[in-house]
Amino acid sequence: MHSRPAGYTRAQIVLHWVIAALVIFQIIFGEDIGPAFRAFRKGTEPAADALLSANIHVYVGLTVLVLAVLRMALRLRYGAPDLPPDEKMVMRYVAGLAHLVLYAAIFLMPLTGALAWYLGMGEIGEIHEIGKPIIIVVVAVHAAGALWQHFVARTDVLRRMLKPAA
Ligand code: HEM
Ligand code: HEM
């Protein structure tokens, strides 16, 4: 096994924060696609403003998918730094599980959304909706972990997601 890098590259960091901002935007405003989606499913024409809101959700979401592919490519190429050496095993699992769910979310949310939207698959839309509470809980745990590392444990874990490794 090759050794882990000392930190993230600038591109990895920019992608982390741009994706985070877009995902939070989607979570806050996601319901705005509802009226247009319901109109299409009933076979009626959505109002112009409903269609605009829907298009914003669709294109912001598809942007997340493109950035997620880029991000995964960089992750495979450069890897990620290890947690502080004295980090408890259980915390390593919690952090690792949160990262896994978040990576899954940035691929599966756009994919399930696209199946619902373009193919009118209502059941997939319901699966897509379940993503919302899951993401809220996992991002809360993830962000709390980052802040705890910084302010309580006083490690460089948050700093290395803000400043590239030299
Ligand atoms: C929807 C929002 C977010 C998503 C999808 C997300 C996703 C991720 C993922 C997948 C990783 C693992 C990186 C890797 O190992 O390749 C990561 C790392 C990290 N995230 Fe987030 N994140 C989000 C929001 C946040 C927020 C709000 C904070 C801070 C308050 C934060 C702080 C961090 C830090 C500090 C790391 C580095 C952890 C380490 O180096 O061990 N993230 N994030
Ligand atoms: C990061 C990507 C995405 C996130 C985080 C996200 C999040 C959300 C959220 C929070 C909702 C509202 C759920 C509710 O009403 O309880 C929603 C609904 C919806 N989204 Fe997304 N979305 C993403 C990408 C997409 C994409 C790319 C499309 C289409 C191409 C899409 C299509 C839909 C549809 C059709 C609904 C309505 C589902 C229904 O009412 O049954 N989403 N999304």
Side-chain angles (χ1 to χ4, degrees):
M1 237 189 65
H2 54 260
S3 66
R4 285 181 169 253
Y8 295 99
T9 64
R10 185 176 298 278
Q12 282 178 299
I13 292 169
V14 170
L15 283 169
H16 173 271
W17 293 111
V18 172
I19 291 173
L22 296 181
V23 168
I24 291 168
F25 176 89
Q26 292 293 80
I27 293 295
I28 294 173
F29 300 109
E31 285 175 21
D32 291 357
I33 193 175
F37 187 56
R38 281 190 291 277
F40 280 135
R41 287 180 50 81
K42 276 191 302 194
T44 58
E45 201 54 41
D49 62 336
L51 192 59
L52 176 65
S53 304
N55 275 320
I56 292 173
H57 185 78
V58 168
Y59 290 110
V60 170
L62 293 178
T63 303
V64 170
L65 180 59
V66 172
L67 297 179
V69 170
L70 244 166
R71 179 162 177 192
M72 187 49 78
L74 292 179
R75 177 67 161 79
L76 295 174
R77 169 82 177 74
Y78 296 109
D82 201 356
L83 281 177
D86 50 359
E87 194 62 31
K88 292 218 170 57
M89 213 48 184
V90 48
M91 295 311 275
R92 290 181 182 273
Y93 280 118
V94 173
L97 184 64
H99 295 169
L100 191 74
V101 173
L102 292 171
Y103 270 125
I106 59 180
F107 285 94
L108 293 180
M109 288 304 282
L111 290 174
T112 52
L115 288 175
W117 181 250
Y118 292 112
L119 304 179
M121 298 170 83
E123 319 72 48
I124 304 276
E126 278 162 37
I127 295 176
H128 184 79
E129 287 187 340
I130 300 173
K132 178 176 176 173
I134 296 176
I135 292 174
I136 291 174
V137 169
V138 176
V139 168
V141 170
H142 177 69
L147 296 176
W148 184 84
Q149 286 288 346
H150 189 76
F151 290 107
V152 182
R154 299 185 179 275
T155 66
D156 68 343
V157 167
L158 179 59
R159 236 169 294 132
R160 69 195 186 183
M161 198 40 113
L162 296 168
K163 200 172 167 301

